[in-house]
Amino acid sequence: MTRRLISSGSRFEAEIGYSRAVVAGDFVHVAGTTGYDYATMTLPEGVEAQCEQCFRNIQTALAEAGSGMQDVVRVTFIVPRREDWQACWPVTRKWLGEVRPAATLLHAGLQDEAMRIEIEVTAQRVPILVDSVDRNEGGQA
Protein backbone atom coordinates (compact mmCIF):
# COMPACT_ATOMS: atom_id res chain seq x y z
CA MET A 1 0.00 0.00 0.00
CA THR A 2 1.31 3.42 -0.92
CA ARG A 3 1.41 6.17 1.66
CA ARG A 4 1.77 9.91 1.02
CA LEU A 5 1.97 12.72 3.57
CA ILE A 6 0.18 16.05 3.04
CA SER A 7 1.35 19.15 4.94
CA SER A 8 -0.44 22.43 5.62
CA GLY A 9 2.87 24.15 6.30
CA SER A 10 2.12 24.50 10.00
CA ARG A 11 5.29 24.44 12.13
CA PHE A 12 3.45 22.20 14.59
CA GLU A 13 3.43 19.29 12.14
CA ALA A 14 7.21 18.95 12.34
CA GLU A 15 7.47 19.96 16.01
CA ILE A 16 4.83 17.50 17.22
CA GLY A 17 5.26 14.81 14.55
CA TYR A 18 2.07 14.59 12.49
CA SER A 19 0.74 15.41 9.02
CA ARG A 20 -2.31 17.43 8.00
CA ALA A 21 -3.37 14.37 6.01
CA VAL A 22 -2.12 10.93 5.06
CA VAL A 23 -3.09 9.19 1.84
CA ALA A 24 -3.07 5.45 2.49
CA GLY A 25 -4.37 3.33 -0.38
CA ASP A 26 -7.83 4.55 -1.37
CA PHE A 27 -8.32 6.54 1.85
CA VAL A 28 -7.35 10.05 2.90
CA HIS A 29 -7.12 10.56 6.65
CA VAL A 30 -7.24 14.26 7.57
CA ALA A 31 -5.96 15.12 11.05
CA GLY A 32 -8.01 17.12 13.51
CA THR A 33 -8.20 20.56 11.89
CA THR A 34 -8.93 23.79 13.70
CA GLY A 35 -10.23 27.04 12.25
CA TYR A 36 -6.78 28.59 11.99
CA ASP A 37 -6.51 30.58 8.75
CA TYR A 38 -3.06 29.88 7.30
CA ALA A 39 -3.42 32.66 4.67
CA THR A 40 -3.81 35.40 7.29
CA MET A 41 -2.13 33.51 10.17
CA THR A 42 -5.13 34.26 12.38
CA LEU A 43 -7.86 32.39 14.22
CA PRO A 44 -11.30 33.85 13.39
CA GLU A 45 -13.57 34.82 16.26
CA GLY A 46 -16.78 32.88 16.73
CA VAL A 47 -17.48 29.20 16.38
CA GLU A 48 -19.34 29.55 13.05
CA ALA A 49 -16.39 31.33 11.40
CA GLN A 50 -13.96 28.79 12.83
CA CYS A 51 -16.13 25.90 11.64
CA GLU A 52 -16.19 27.36 8.13
CA GLN A 53 -12.41 27.78 8.15
CA CYS A 54 -11.95 24.20 9.40
CA PHE A 55 -13.79 22.96 6.34
CA ARG A 56 -11.79 25.21 4.00
CA ASN A 57 -8.57 23.82 5.49
CA ILE A 58 -9.87 20.26 5.13
CA GLN A 59 -10.95 20.90 1.54
CA THR A 60 -7.44 22.14 0.71
CA ALA A 61 -5.84 19.00 2.19
CA LEU A 62 -8.30 16.71 0.39
CA ALA A 63 -7.71 18.47 -2.95
CA GLU A 64 -3.95 18.04 -2.56
CA ALA A 65 -4.61 14.35 -1.96
CA GLY A 66 -6.70 14.05 -5.14
CA SER A 67 -9.98 13.90 -3.27
CA GLY A 68 -12.75 16.24 -2.17
CA MET A 69 -15.52 16.86 0.31
CA GLN A 70 -17.83 14.65 -1.77
CA ASP A 71 -15.61 11.69 -0.81
CA VAL A 72 -15.88 12.13 2.99
CA VAL A 73 -17.16 8.95 4.67
CA ARG A 74 -16.40 9.74 8.34
CA VAL A 75 -16.21 12.94 10.40
CA THR A 76 -15.39 13.65 14.03
CA PHE A 77 -16.24 17.00 15.61
CA ILE A 78 -14.51 18.14 18.79
CA VAL A 79 -16.31 21.05 20.43
CA PRO A 80 -15.21 22.22 23.89
CA ARG A 81 -18.39 24.15 24.71
CA ARG A 82 -21.66 22.22 24.38
CA GLU A 83 -23.55 25.44 23.71
CA ASP A 84 -21.46 26.06 20.56
CA TRP A 85 -22.46 22.90 18.72
CA GLN A 86 -25.89 23.88 17.42
CA ALA A 87 -24.51 27.11 15.93
CA CYS A 88 -22.28 24.92 13.72
CA TRP A 89 -25.14 22.95 12.18
CA PRO A 90 -25.76 25.27 9.21
CA VAL A 91 -22.03 25.21 8.37
CA THR A 92 -21.74 21.43 8.68
CA ARG A 93 -24.89 20.99 6.57
CA LYS A 94 -23.42 23.29 3.88
CA TRP A 95 -20.25 21.21 3.62
CA LEU A 96 -21.55 17.69 4.36
CA GLY A 97 -25.31 17.77 3.80
CA GLU A 98 -25.14 15.98 0.46
CA VAL A 99 -22.66 13.25 1.46
CA ARG A 100 -23.92 12.71 5.03
CA PRO A 101 -20.89 10.81 6.41
CA ALA A 102 -20.88 8.78 9.60
CA ALA A 103 -20.26 11.27 12.40
CA THR A 104 -19.12 11.50 16.00
CA LEU A 105 -19.27 14.53 18.31
CA LEU A 106 -16.92 14.85 21.29
CA HIS A 107 -16.91 17.56 23.91
CA ALA A 108 -13.29 18.03 24.99
CA GLY A 109 -10.74 20.76 25.49
CA LEU A 110 -8.54 21.93 22.61
CA GLN A 111 -4.94 23.17 22.49
CA ASP A 112 -5.89 26.83 22.96
CA GLU A 113 -8.90 28.35 24.75
CA ALA A 114 -9.60 30.50 21.67
CA MET A 115 -10.14 27.36 19.54
CA ARG A 116 -13.85 26.57 19.49
CA ILE A 117 -13.98 23.54 17.16
CA GLU A 118 -11.75 20.90 15.60
CA ILE A 119 -12.84 18.62 12.76
CA GLU A 120 -11.26 15.37 11.54
CA VAL A 121 -12.36 13.51 8.40
CA THR A 122 -11.69 10.36 6.46
CA ALA A 123 -12.39 10.30 2.73
CA GLN A 124 -12.40 7.41 0.30
CA ARG A 125 -10.92 8.33 -3.03
CA VAL A 126 -13.13 7.17 -5.86
CA PRO A 127 -11.27 4.95 -8.33
CA ILE A 128 -11.40 6.04 -11.95
CA LEU A 129 -13.68 3.75 -13.91
CA VAL A 130 -12.26 2.48 -17.16
CA ASP A 131 -14.50 1.85 -20.16
CA SER A 132 -14.54 -1.93 -20.49
CA VAL A 133 -15.97 -2.01 -23.99
CA ASP A 134 -13.86 -4.08 -26.38
CA ARG A 135 -13.47 -1.79 -29.38
CA ASN A 136 -12.37 -4.71 -31.59
CA GLU A 137 -15.72 -6.47 -31.19
CA GLY A 138 -17.94 -3.80 -32.68
CA GLY A 139 -18.36 -1.94 -29.40
CA GLN A 140 -20.04 -4.78 -27.54
CA ALA A 141 -18.76 -5.85 -24.16
Side-chain angles (χ1 to χ4, degrees):
M1 173 174 57
T2 61
R3 182 178 145 108
R4 184 165 57 100
L5 307 179
I6 307 287
S7 175
S8 67
S10 168
R11 68 181 176 91
F12 296 115
E13 292 172 21
E15 289 179 18
I16 297 171
Y18 73 96
S19 295
R20 170 60 44 222
V22 175
V23 180
D26 289 337
F27 289 92
V28 182
H29 304 272
V30 181
T33 303
T34 65
Y36 194 76
D37 184 338
Y38 296 103
T40 63
M41 302 304 282
T42 60
L43 184 67
E45 287 191 36
V47 70
E48 298 94 336
Q50 287 187 27
C51 187
E52 184 72 37
Q53 187 60 49
C54 288
F55 281 116
R56 285 195 293 266
N57 293 343
I58 290 166
Q59 182 179 44
T60 298
L62 288 173
E64 189 173 335
S67 190
M69 296 302 294
Q70 72 280 359
D71 301 320
V72 173
V73 295
R74 180 104 180 114
V75 60
T76 301
F77 301 99
I78 305 168
V79 180
R81 303 176 195 167
R82 289 179 187 276
E83 64 273 13
D84 279 350
W85 177 230
Q86 192 168 355
C88 295
W89 293 1
V91 180
T92 62
R93 186 172 45 253
K94 171 187 163 187
W95 286 91
L96 300 172
E98 293 295 316
V99 296
R100 295 178 58 192
T104 299
L105 169 66
L106 302 171
H107 292 292
L110 297 176
Q111 182 68 28
D112 185 308
E113 289 293 322
M115 294 174 177
R116 308 274 295 274
I117 187 168
E118 181 172 304
I119 303 171
E120 169 186 281
V121 305
T122 302
Q124 183 173 19
R125 298 188 307 162
V126 179
I128 298 171
L129 298 176
V130 178
D131 184 359
S132 63
V133 175
D134 184 352
R135 300 293 178 202
N136 294 326
E137 297 294 325
Q140 297 181 4

